[in-house]
Amino acid sequence: MNLETAILEIKKFWNTNEEFSFGKSKNQNHVERLENEFGVAIPDSLKEYITNFASLNDFYFTTVGNPICIYGVDNLKFKQDGYNFNPVKNTKIDDWNESFFILADEGADPVIIDLNHPENGIQKLMHGAGSWDYGETIADSIGQFLLCSAAIHHALTNFEEESIIDDENGFNLAENAAKWYFKNMKNWAGNYYSEWCSIFDNH
């Protein structure tokens, strides 16, 4: 799914009372900066996102646990505290793959594109697992990732007052939110439906 299609799809359901910061500005100079920082060419899909769609400031989507923080364009950078750089010791962290480009994080679990293997899609790695080898692919493209992130935010914030029912019947998304979310995610998430929906027992 390309970015323009994803943004248009999000705007169809996005609550107009909520801020939506993607696609509002042009960030012309950041691709050159990032290619200099990483020392490699930025894939075309990421260039398009950075230039035409990235938010100026960090943006948060609600999830079941920690929110997904989509990095603002100034926070898209090579040097990332806690991942490849220790700001306390002022030293590089060696176990980080320098081709990992962080787009976002969810409770410090980084959401990345591997610049050497962009065909691997959008991956979420596990912070604190002892190795960055632990993770999962959660979307084929940035557009799909943004759409799925916006969808779970919408399901949790725009239907029932209590969006989650955790009782003897399991951990469930409330009825109206569930009807909207699971039906759409079968289309939008595709092969990654489980990654976005299996936290709920009624998926």
Side-chain angles (χ1 to χ4, degrees), residues 34-196:
L34 288 163
E35 289 186 331
N36 288 332
E37 289 180 18
F38 281 86
V40 297
I42 299 292
D44 288 343
S45 60
L46 183 53
K47 282 183 184 178
E48 181 188 14
Y49 172 70
I50 294 164
T51 304
N52 297 321
F53 293 96
S55 176
L56 288 176
N57 302 303
D58 290 355
F59 188 89
Y60 293 87
F61 288 115
T62 298
T63 70
V64 171
N66 293 297
I68 297 171
C69 175
I70 311 291
Y71 289 6
V73 71
D74 287 332
N75 283 331
L76 299 175
K77 56 190 178 181
F78 175 78
K79 184 171 148 182
Q80 295 284 1
D81 291 354
Y83 298 107
N84 64 3
F85 184 75
N86 184 327
V88 177
K89 296 181 179 179
N90 198 34
T91 57
K92 174 183 171 183
I93 299 174
D94 289 326
D95 66 348
W96 181 258
N97 184 330
E98 294 191 350
S99 70
F100 286 173
F101 184 105
I102 305 180
L103 283 172
D105 74 67
E106 185 177 350
D109 291 344
V111 176
I112 65 104
I113 295 175
D114 186 342
L115 297 181
N116 289 338
H117 298 283
E119 70 278 5
N120 290 344
I122 310 301
Q123 302 169 66
K124 184 168 72 173
L125 310 181
M126 299 297 293
H127 188 269
S131 167
W132 293 114
D133 294 333
Y134 298 97
E136 59 186 1
T137 301
I138 58 173
D140 285 329
S141 65
I142 301 171
Q144 186 180 37
F145 167 64
L146 289 176
L147 177 54
C148 292
S149 299
I152 193 166
H153 170 94
H154 185 72
L156 292 171
T157 58
N158 284 276
F159 292 91
E160 288 89 349
E161 186 172 338
E162 294 293 332
S163 59
I164 295 171
I165 302 167
D166 186 11
D167 59 19
E168 67 276 5
N169 296 315
F171 187 81
N172 296 315
L173 189 58
E175 182 180 4
N176 292 325
K179 286 179 181 176
W180 180 86
Y181 182 67
F182 299 134
K183 175 186 69 176
N184 284 303
M185 288 298 275
K186 284 178 181 176
N187 180 36
W188 295 335
N191 293 332
Y192 308 105
Y193 178 85
S194 178
E195 282 77 7
W196 292 93

